[in-house]
Amino acid sequence: PAHAGDGLMLFGHDHDELARRIRYIRAGPFDPAARRHAYQNLTFVVAGTLIAAAARMPWQTAVSRYLLRPLGMTNTTFTQADLLNSKNAASGHAWSGGYLRVFNQNLPYADWPYRYGLSAGINSNVMDLSRWMMFQFGYSNIVSRKTLDFIQAEYTRSGRDDDGNPQYYAMGWRRINLPNGRHIIFHAGVTDCFHSLIYFDPVEKIGIVLLSNVAAGNHSFAFARRFFDMYFGAEIVDNSQLAMERAVRRHANRTADAQRQRDSIVPAPARAFKYYVGKFHNELYGYVKIAEENDRLIVQILPSNVRIRLVHSHADTFNHGGLVGWRLRNPFVIFKFDEASANAARITITTMTDGIETFFTRVN
């Protein structure tokens, strides 16, 4: 499944443990024609492990020695401590309680981008990433033009952009083929409180880097497309307005879907909370605890100690009470009972059903 295992970001496992757990992801049906595909973050974690083994040094050291330093990317670092100790770093922001607030980097899940390594784990700025973009143009002798062409070639179809142009996955990049024969290479990244976008034309050797200290990318893509329209003399379109209209429609659809779901349920009361409380295990993710605190149920994710409040929905089904920087799915936790016991035997966490086991089983 797409983004399978991303819920591991909340558990606090280190880089090596994340690489080990990828074996427990539920695979889709085998397709010898390679028509099926899904975006993955954990495979980049594995890539970091392979680089470390081949270079006989930590992947961060290898990347710095063979890429960043030769390219002059002296402001690019690899740890959360580097970010927090920097004298010139933007503060990330996330929505909380209906307001955009500074994201608390001391939250127990705030360091997941660095544990995810090559899929997310660097700090940088527009100057260093502009050097990285120029490297992609071929302004370096670190790799050959042939290698860059291989990296940027189209390999797997990935739908269409908002204008209907075909998109593809390349090697660590995405590619848009335009009707006029040009193509755009890009990739975006998002964490709990930051968004990044590199968007360039490798033939014209023109591009743009956009970094935002809020986890939303529609405005960045709109800005990048406007930049290219102006550069190539295309008809100017208000991409920001179009992006806003699409976002409003998506929000309205989500709200309507949630209301239809609520309307379709005849509410039934929950059991006494003591029957839900316990410790549960899933082979891919690890352990969670259901606990009662101040007359409320919470999910406690281990070993990170991330805590998510549960809000009763219907019978043995509960919604989440929110997690800053995350858009979790409702219903969030569904408890399953066996006739042999009064206590919940299993739970389903709806954002964590992509493992070989799609539920968490009670262990005590």
Side-chain angles (χ1 to χ4, degrees):
H3 294 272
D6 276 4
L8 283 165
M9 297 169 182
L10 297 175
F11 280 75
H13 302 306
D14 64 23
H15 184 277
D16 291 342
E17 181 63 12
L18 289 170
R20 188 187 73 83
R21 286 177 181 267
I22 196 172
R23 71 192 68 188
Y24 300 121
I25 288 177
R26 174 166 48 90
F30 176 68
D31 181 10
R35 291 165 299 187
R36 298 176 183 268
H37 58 276
Y39 190 89
Q40 248 300 336
N41 283 309
L42 281 174
T43 47
F44 287 92
V45 175
V46 175
T49 301
L50 295 175
I51 290 172
R56 299 183 180 180
M57 64 184 74
W59 70 263
Q60 297 94 328
T61 303
V63 169
S64 181
R65 177 180 299 180
Y66 296 115
L67 290 172
L68 303 186
R69 278 191 285 178
L71 293 173
M73 296 175 63
T74 57
N75 292 303
T76 298
T77 57
F78 297 95
T79 69
Q80 186 184 37
D82 290 329
L83 173 69
L84 296 177
N85 294 332
S86 173
K87 296 179 180 179
N88 185 21
S91 297
H93 289 69
W95 290 100
S96 177
Y99 295 92
L100 195 60
R101 306 177 190 272
V102 173
F103 183 76
N104 181 3
Q105 289 288 344
N106 292 316
L107 289 171
Y109 54 92
D111 66 338
W112 74 258
Y114 306 98
R115 287 183 281 104
Y116 262 62
L118 284 174
S119 66
I122 67 166
N123 312 300
S124 196
N125 59 25
V126 291
M127 293 303 296
D128 271 16
L129 291 179
S130 294
R131 293 184 176 93
W132 183 255
M133 186 166 59
M134 293 177 68
F135 166 51
Q136 300 296 321
F137 294 160
Y139 293 134
S140 168
N141 59 2
I142 295 176
V143 300
S144 67
R145 180 70 254 176
K146 182 179 180 180
T147 298
L148 291 174
D149 290 340
F150 173 80
I151 292 169
Q152 297 168 12
E154 59 190 58
Y155 290 100
T156 306
R157 185 71 178 266
S158 63
R160 295 180 179 273
D161 68 5
D162 292 331
D163 293 326
N165 300 310
Q167 293 190 130
Y168 299 85
Y169 288 118
M171 294 292 177
W173 292 104
R174 300 184 73 176
R175 173 176 170 137
I176 304 172
N177 287 352
L178 302 175
N180 57 8
R182 292 190 296 110
H183 62 273
I184 298 294
I185 303 295
F186 76 97
H187 208 301
V190 63
T191 66
D192 304 320
C193 58
F194 293 106
H195 185 274
S196 60
L197 174 65
I198 302 180
Y199 197 92
F200 63 91
D201 182 325
V203 176
E204 294 290 332
K205 294 182 170 55
I206 184 73
I208 189 168
V209 174
L210 293 134
L211 303 180
S212 173
N213 58 338
V214 64
N218 287 336
H219 61 292
S220 294
F221 279 98
F223 196 102
R225 294 173 70 185
R226 178 64 171 264
F227 170 80
F228 271 83
D229 286 346
M230 294 174 65
Y231 180 83
F232 288 106
E235 179 183 357
I236 299 300
V237 176
D238 192 341
N239 291 301
S240 293
Q241 180 63 33
L242 293 175
M244 177 63 73
E245 292 171 358
R246 287 191 293 269
V248 169
R249 286 196 298 270
R250 284 195 297 267
H251 177 74
N253 290 337
R254 284 196 298 266
T255 302
D257 289 344
Q259 187 62 52
R260 282 192 292 270
Q261 184 181 46
R262 288 191 294 269
D263 292 343
S264 68
I265 294 173
V266 178
R271 305 175 198 231
F273 283 176
K274 65 180 180 180
Y275 298 119
Y276 301 118
V277 169
K279 189 175 184 179
F280 299 81
H281 178 262
N282 175 275
E283 200 166 26
L284 170 61
Y285 289 97
Y287 292 93
V288 300
K289 288 178 68 175
I290 305 296
E292 182 179 358
E293 292 184 357
N294 301 321
D295 298 321
R296 290 179 172 177
L297 285 181
I298 65 160
V299 177
Q300 181 182 4
I301 295 174
L302 302 174
S304 65
N305 199 34
V306 172
R307 302 157 77 85
I308 303 172
R309 179 170 58 89
L310 296 182
V311 180
H312 183 248
S313 172
H314 165 69
D316 299 318
T317 299
F318 290 76
N319 293 336
H320 63 83
L323 186 68
V324 176
W326 282 67
R327 182 181 293 168
L328 300 172
R329 188 183 309 158
N330 279 323
F332 184 56
V333 176
I334 302 169
F335 292 86
K336 301 291 185 181
F337 289 79
D338 291 338
E339 294 181 0
S341 173
N343 295 322
R346 297 177 303 282
I347 62 174
T348 295
I349 302 178
T350 56
T351 54
M352 302 177 191
T353 58
D354 43 21
I356 296 172
E357 297 176 340
T358 59
F359 48 80
F360 291 70
T361 303
R362 176 181 288 274
V363 294
N364 70 13

